[in-house]
Amino acid sequence: MRLSNGEVLLHWPLDIHVLTQGWYYNDGSLHQAVDLRTQIKGMYIRPVYAAEDGTVDQTQNWDGHTKTGMQSYGNMVRIKHAPYKRKTLQTRYAHLSSYCVKYGQRVKEGEIIGYSGTTGNVYGAHLHFEVILNGKRTNPLTWLDADYTLATGKEYQFNKGEHSVIVPTADTADKKLQIPTIGPMSKGDYDALLKTAADNGSAPTLYTVTMQAMSTAAASALQQKADALGVHYTSKWVED
């Protein structure tokens, strides 16, 4: 995603954001990537998502035994994104069990491109994720938001002066309003949703369950409340 300040905020390539190895490995050696946990409750195959719109510019199939050179990545996908400050921007996803894209294919941010696995030079299931700028690997955590946890608390995060992406206030989709419609529901559920809407700076039109136009953040809070109450939720964008 391109932000209003010209920076890039990449989509997390997994639905869980647990850092197991950072820019430096936990033993202090240089990694030049991050590893993200994929194994939860015995399951290690999880969908892997494109970090931003782009074109698949490399794929690799693991030969099943070689763990050196490019084969150390195992099954791998690389995506070329729009340039950043006139420099080539790419992301790489490695150790996949399989991938479901092909060379030259256009992909959208958040689209499934493959599934995590244990191929290549790995010790345990994880996703190896790289961000490459003008052919040089950069710390992926500087292209992502701060919504992650550390597996042990000792994982390396940032070099001096580096940090997670800072999103400008009211950026991107939150500038666009939407009108949620929720229900049918009981009076008690209606009152609970009314309070959630009011707490997020909006309010339903009197005696109806069609809300006034609200921001994405407010609508998201309302949807979470509706889901918790088990009532139907739909929403439409306000036309520009």
Side-chain angles (χ1 to χ4, degrees):
M1 177 188 296
R2 303 298 160 122
L3 303 177
S4 60
N5 60 4
E7 294 304 308
V8 177
L9 174 62
L10 295 181
H11 185 285
W12 282 93
L14 291 174
D15 56 358
I16 53 174
H17 315 155
V18 181
L19 186 71
T20 59
Q21 303 282 346
W23 184 246
Y24 288 91
Y25 285 111
N26 295 346
D27 65 7
S29 59
L30 187 60
H31 185 199
Q32 293 188 304
V34 295
D35 288 345
L36 300 171
R37 174 177 290 165
T38 60
Q39 191 159 351
I40 300 292
K41 296 181 179 178
M43 297 293 293
Y44 68 87
I45 297 179
R46 308 187 73 84
V48 175
Y49 306 101
E52 196 189 34
D53 294 0
T55 301
V56 177
D57 69 347
Q58 186 181 27
T59 61
Q60 173 177 276
N61 293 316
W62 188 42
D63 65 13
H65 58 86
T66 305
K67 295 188 176 183
T68 58
M70 284 298 296
Q71 282 288 304
S72 66
Y73 286 117
N75 295 328
M76 179 270 291
V77 171
R78 191 179 69 190
I79 299 174
K80 182 178 180 181
H81 308 285
Y84 170 72
K85 296 183 178 180
R86 300 184 179 180
K87 297 179 181 179
T88 301
L89 179 64
Q90 298 162 298
T91 51
R92 176 179 280 133
Y93 315 75
H95 307 317
L96 306 177
S97 61
S98 63
Y99 55 86
C100 51
V101 292
K102 59 184 179 181
Y103 176 81
Q105 181 177 333
R106 287 284 301 168
V107 295
K108 301 293 290 182
E109 179 177 321
E111 180 178 340
I112 295 176
I113 59 171
Y115 297 88
S116 62
T118 56
T119 60
N121 187 17
V122 299
Y123 298 94
H126 67 270
L127 175 69
H128 174 97
F129 180 60
E130 296 178 4
V131 179
I132 308 162
L133 186 63
N134 250 23
K136 183 179 179 180
R137 285 188 266 177
T138 63
N139 187 349
L141 293 183
T142 65
W143 301 85
L144 296 160
D145 62 33
D147 179 24
Y148 66 91
T149 57
L150 305 180
T152 67
K154 298 180 180 179
E155 288 73 21
Y156 188 91
Q157 297 175 76
F158 299 108
N159 296 317
K160 185 176 180 180
E162 293 181 339
H163 53 76
S164 298
V165 176
I166 298 173
V167 180
T169 303
D171 207 338
T172 59
D174 208 42
K175 292 180 179 177
K176 195 172 183 181
L177 300 180
Q178 53 185 304
I179 302 174
T181 300
I182 309 170
M185 67 186 79
S186 68
K187 179 63 165 60
D189 288 348
Y190 175 82
D191 290 341
L193 284 162
L194 171 63
K195 184 178 186 307
T196 298
D199 288 346
N200 284 275
S202 185
T205 306
L206 191 60
Y207 300 120
T208 73
V209 291
T210 298
M211 306 296 177
Q212 296 172 351
M214 62 182 68
S215 70
T216 300
S220 177
L222 204 59
Q223 181 177 11
Q224 291 178 27
K225 186 66 173 181
D227 290 345
L229 294 170
V231 296
H232 184 62
Y233 176 99
T234 59
S235 180
K236 67 177 181 178
W237 292 108
V238 175
E239 295 297 326
D240 294 329

